[in-house]
C-alpha cells in the first residue's frame, strides 16, 4: 500500500468503529486477519516459516482445527493452527477479546482508505498492545485479493440487466518508475427487480475506444445480455464501442452533461431565458413537450450569433439525450442522467484522495474493488428498489 503522512486520532477512530455495524464483507475480513495473525504466531513459535529449513526449529506444523469465535458482530469460524508437540497456543483470543470489533474495523478502514502498512501496524499496536511487522500486514491484506477478483470476474449468466450505466474516472499510479494516469471503468446494471448491481470494473489505460471495447467484451464473455439502454456521457470512443458491441441497444446521452455542454457555449450574462428553455427541453415529461421547448428556443435565438454554437450543439445531440422519454414516466428521473454512477465514483474518490498516487495497479484494484464490493452488497440487502414502479393506468 502507499506510504503516506496520514494522521489518525486513535480515540476518535476507536469510538467510531466500536459503534459501527459490520456486514458480511467485514466478517470475511475478520476471518482473514485473525487466521493470518495466528499463522504468524505459529511461525514465531516454531522459529521457521513454512517450507523453511532451520537449525533453530523448535516444533513442526500439524494442520488446523476449527473453532467458532463469538464476537460482537456475531459468530465467525476460524482455523486455529496446531503443532506436533501440542505446545503451541494462540494468544489471540485473550488479546483481542475486548478490542475485536475496533481491530477488524480499523484494519478494514485501512484497506479501503489506502493507509500505509506502517500506519496499520501502529493501529494494531495501539488497539491491541501487540506490534506486528509491515510484511505481516501487507501479506494479510493481500488475502482479500481473491475475493475482489471473484467479484470482478463473476458470471453474469442468467441475469438480465435492462439498463446499464457506464462511466470512467481517472487515478494516478506508479508504473515503470513513472507516475501515469489510469482510467477506472465502472459499469452499473439495473436488474429485473429494479435494483442496482455493479456488473463490472477495470483499471486500464487512458479512456479510448479500444479500452471501452475490451471492457464491454469482457462483460459479454461473462454473460452480459443485450441491455435495453446504455446511459453514459458522450465520449467519442465510448459511443463507438457501444454501437459496435451492443447492436440494437439504445444509447441515452447523459442529459446533465449535455445541458452543461450547451450552456457553456452561451453568453455568461443575460442568458437565463435561453438556459431555462434548454433545461425544459432536456428534462421534459414527454417527447412532444421536449420538442416544443426546443422549437421555442430555436425560434427565439436563431440568428443570434452569440447562441450559434449552443444551437448547433443542441441540434446535434438532442435525439440521443431524450431516449429516456420512451420509458415509463417513473423511470425518467433515474434514466436521463448518469448521476447514480457519478455518486459511486464519489465514494471511490473519497477514499482514493488520501492516497493521491497508487504504488501500483494492483493496489488500485484492491482499494477500488473493496469500495465497490461494499456498495454492491449494501444494494443487495436493501428492500428499496432503484427504479420506481410505473403507474398502472
Amino acid at each position: 500500500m502507499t506510504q503516506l503522512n496520514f494522521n489518525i486520532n486513535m480515540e476518535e477512530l476507536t469510538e467510531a468503529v466500536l459503534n459501527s455495524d459490520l456486514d458480511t464483507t467485514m466478517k470475511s475480513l475478520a476471518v482473514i486477519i485473525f487466521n493470518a495473525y495466528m499463522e504468524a504466531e505459529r511461525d514465531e513459535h516454531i522459529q521457521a516459516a513454512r517450507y523453511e529449513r532451520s537449525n533453530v526449529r523448535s516444533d513442526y506444523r500439524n494442520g488446523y482445527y476449527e473453532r467458532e469465535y463469538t464476537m460482537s458482530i456475531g459468530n465467525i469460524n476460524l482455523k486455529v493452527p496446531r503443532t506436533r508437540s501440542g505446545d503451541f497456543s494462540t494468544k489471540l483470543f485473550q488479546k483481542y477479546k475486548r478490542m475485536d470489533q475496533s481491530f477488524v474495523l480499523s484494519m478494514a478502514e485501512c484497506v479501503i482508505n489506502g493507509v500505509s502498512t506502517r500506519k496499520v501496524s501502529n493501529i494494531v499496536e495501539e488497539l491491541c498492545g501487540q506490534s506486528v511487522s509491515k510484511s505481516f500486514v501487507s501479506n494479510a491484506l493481500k488475502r482479500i485479493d481473491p475475493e475482489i477478483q471473484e467479484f470482478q470476474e463473476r458470471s453474469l449468466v442468467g441475469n438480465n440487466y435492462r439498463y446499464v450505466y457506464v462511466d470512467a474516472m481517472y487515478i494516478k499510479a506508479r508504473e515503470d518508475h513513472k507516475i501515469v494516469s489510469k482510467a477506472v471503468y465502472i459499469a452499473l446494471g439495473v436488474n429485473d427487480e429494479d435494483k442496482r448491481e455493479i456488473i463490472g470494473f477495470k483499471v486500464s489505460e487512458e479512456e479510448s475506444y479500444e479500452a471501452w471495447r475490451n471492457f464491454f467484451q469482457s462483460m459479454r464473455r461473462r454473460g452480459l445480455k443485450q441491455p435495453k439502454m446504455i446511459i453514459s456521457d458522450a465520449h467519442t470512443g465510448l459511443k463507438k464501442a457501444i454501437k459496435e458491441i451492443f447492436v440494437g441497444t439504445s444509447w441515452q446521452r447523459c442529459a446533465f452533461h449535455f445541458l452543461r455542454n450547451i450552456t457553456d457555449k452561451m453568453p455568461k450574462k443575460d442568458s437565463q431565458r435561453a438556459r431555462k428553455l434548454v433545461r425544459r427541453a432536456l428534462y421534459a415529461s414527454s417527447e412532444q413537450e421536449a420538442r416544443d421547448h426546443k422549437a421555442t428556443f430555436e425560434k427565439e435565438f436563431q440568428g443570434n450569433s452569440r447562441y450559434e454554437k449552443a444551437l448547433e450543439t443542441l441540434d446535434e445531440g438532442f435525439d440521443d439525450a431524450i431516449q429516456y422519454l420512451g420509458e415509463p414516466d417513473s423511470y425518467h428521473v433515474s434514466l436521463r442522467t448518469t448521476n447514480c454512477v457519478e455518486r459511486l465514483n464519489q465514494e471511490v474518490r473519497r477514499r482514493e484522495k488520501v492516497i493521491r498516487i497508487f504504488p501500483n495497479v494492483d493496489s488500485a484494484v484492491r482499494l477500488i474493488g473493496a469500495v465497490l464490493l461494499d456498495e454492491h452488497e449494501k444494494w443487495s440487502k436493501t428492500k428499496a428498489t432503484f427504479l420506481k414502479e410505473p403507474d398502472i393506468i
Side-chain angles (χ1 to χ4, degrees):
M1 306 293 286
T2 302
Q3 302 295 316
L4 298 172
N5 293 320
F6 187 78
N7 296 320
I8 298 176
N9 185 313
M10 294 308 305
E11 292 183 1
E12 292 180 359
L13 175 62
T14 303
E15 181 180 357
V17 298
L18 285 174
N19 293 324
S20 300
D21 293 325
L22 292 182
D23 55 17
T24 303
T25 302
M26 296 308 181
K27 279 190 177 183
S28 299
L29 185 57
V31 173
I32 291 169
I33 296 299
F34 286 157
N35 283 345
Y37 190 86
M38 288 187 291
E39 196 72 56
E41 276 188 310
R42 182 168 66 173
D43 289 347
E44 183 178 358
H45 170 80
I46 294 175
Q47 299 185 56
R50 184 181 294 274
Y51 307 121
E52 179 186 3
R53 296 181 180 275
S54 173
N55 295 328
V56 295
R57 175 187 291 273
S58 62
D59 208 338
Y60 292 87
R61 290 168 180 78
N62 189 32
Y64 306 86
Y65 70 90
E66 292 190 0
R67 166 173 171 165
E68 189 177 75
Y69 184 46
T70 302
M71 302 174 64
S72 53
I73 60 174
N75 293 336
I76 59 174
N77 293 313
L78 300 176
K79 292 175 61 178
V80 182
R82 295 185 298 197
T83 59
R84 190 175 299 176
S85 69
D87 292 339
F88 170 72
S89 177
T90 178
K91 298 177 182 178
L92 179 142
F93 303 121
Q94 291 75 30
K95 285 182 183 296
Y96 303 135
K97 190 63 179 178
R98 292 184 180 179
M99 286 295 188
D100 55 8
Q101 188 173 1
S102 61
F103 172 68
V104 176
L105 273 167
S106 297
M107 295 289 279
E109 276 299 299
C110 290
V111 174
I112 295 175
N113 283 312
V115 181
S116 70
T117 52
R118 178 177 57 83
K119 289 294 184 182
V120 176
S121 299
N122 293 341
I123 290 173
V124 175
E125 184 171 4
E126 188 80 23
L127 290 174
C128 308
Q130 178 73 20
S131 62
V132 295
S133 67
K134 290 192 294 182
S135 60
F136 160 72
V137 173
S138 182
N139 290 332
L141 298 186
K142 285 180 181 178
R143 297 191 183 195
I144 70 171
D145 287 353
E147 186 175 0
I148 301 300
Q149 184 176 6
E150 181 181 357
F151 170 63
Q152 188 178 23
E153 299 177 357
R154 75 188 189 281
S155 173
L156 301 177
V157 174
N159 296 300
N160 182 42
Y161 302 99
R162 294 169 296 156
Y163 307 107
V164 172
Y165 300 79
V166 294
D167 196 21
M169 59 181 291
Y170 287 90
I171 61 171
K172 291 182 178 181
R174 296 185 185 277
E175 188 175 73
D176 297 328
H177 307 291
K178 296 184 295 183
I179 298 175
V180 297
S181 177
K182 293 287 184 181
V184 181
Y185 302 91
I186 299 176
L188 185 157
V190 181
N191 59 30
D192 283 337
E193 296 179 351
D194 291 335
K195 289 188 174 183
R196 292 171 292 175
E197 295 183 30
I198 295 169
I199 58 175
F201 79 94
K202 183 179 182 180
V203 179
S204 186
E205 306 303 323
E206 291 185 340
E207 192 174 5
S208 65
Y209 156 69
E210 290 79 10
W212 276 116
R213 182 187 61 185
N214 292 338
F215 181 56
F216 290 147
Q217 286 176 333
S218 69
M219 289 192 291
R220 295 286 276 183
R221 285 193 294 269
R222 289 165 50 215
L224 178 63
K225 298 178 182 178
Q226 192 86 359
K228 186 176 183 181
M229 177 183 291
I230 294 180
I231 304 95
S232 75
D233 63 24
H235 182 275
T236 303
L238 172 55
K239 289 167 55 180
K240 183 179 178 181
I242 292 173
K243 185 176 181 180
E244 178 181 326
I245 305 299
F246 298 103
V247 178
T249 293
S250 63
W251 172 59
Q252 166 64 36
R253 180 173 183 169
C254 175
F256 174 78
H257 288 101
F258 186 44
L259 176 62
R260 190 168 61 187
N261 293 153
I262 297 168
T263 55
D264 283 347
K265 295 177 174 60
M266 290 183 181
K268 300 290 184 183
K269 296 181 179 180
D270 302 323
S271 60
Q272 292 85 351
R273 168 69 176 168
R275 293 169 186 269
K276 184 178 293 185
L277 285 173
V278 172
R279 180 177 176 81
R280 286 176 177 174
L282 298 181
Y283 285 71
S285 58
S286 69
E287 182 177 343
Q288 186 58 53
E289 181 185 340
R291 294 192 183 280
D292 288 345
H293 287 304
K294 176 176 180 288
T296 301
F297 171 70
E298 291 173 337
K299 182 178 180 180
E300 290 190 22
F301 296 95
Q302 196 79 46
N304 187 328
S305 60
R306 298 194 303 161
Y307 291 90
E308 183 178 347
K309 290 184 178 179
L311 285 162
E312 291 177 357
T313 302
L314 174 63
D315 191 57
E316 178 270 331
F318 179 72
D319 289 331
D320 291 326
I322 62 168
Q323 290 296 302
Y324 73 94
L325 293 173
E327 302 303 310
D329 292 352
S330 60
Y331 292 1
H332 290 179
V333 67
S334 299
L335 295 180
R336 65 190 172 206
T337 70
T338 57
N339 284 355
C340 61
V341 72
E342 293 282 352
R343 286 193 292 270
L344 194 59
N345 288 348
Q346 289 174 7
E347 285 299 309
V348 174
R349 189 69 74 189
R350 185 164 62 89
R351 275 83 164 201
E352 174 264 346
K353 68 181 180 180
V354 297
I355 299 174
R356 296 190 307 112
I357 301 172
F358 287 96
N360 51 57
V361 172
D362 288 343
S363 64
V365 172
R366 186 176 302 126
L367 182 145
I368 294 167
V371 174
L372 296 180
L373 178 57
D374 187 50
E375 291 297 313
H376 176 85
E377 292 191 344
K378 286 179 184 176
W379 295 341
S380 68
K381 293 176 182 177
T382 183
K383 293 182 179 180
T385 58
F386 172 64
L387 297 178
K388 297 181 180 179
E389 286 295 325
D391 296 329
I392 300 177
I393 299 176

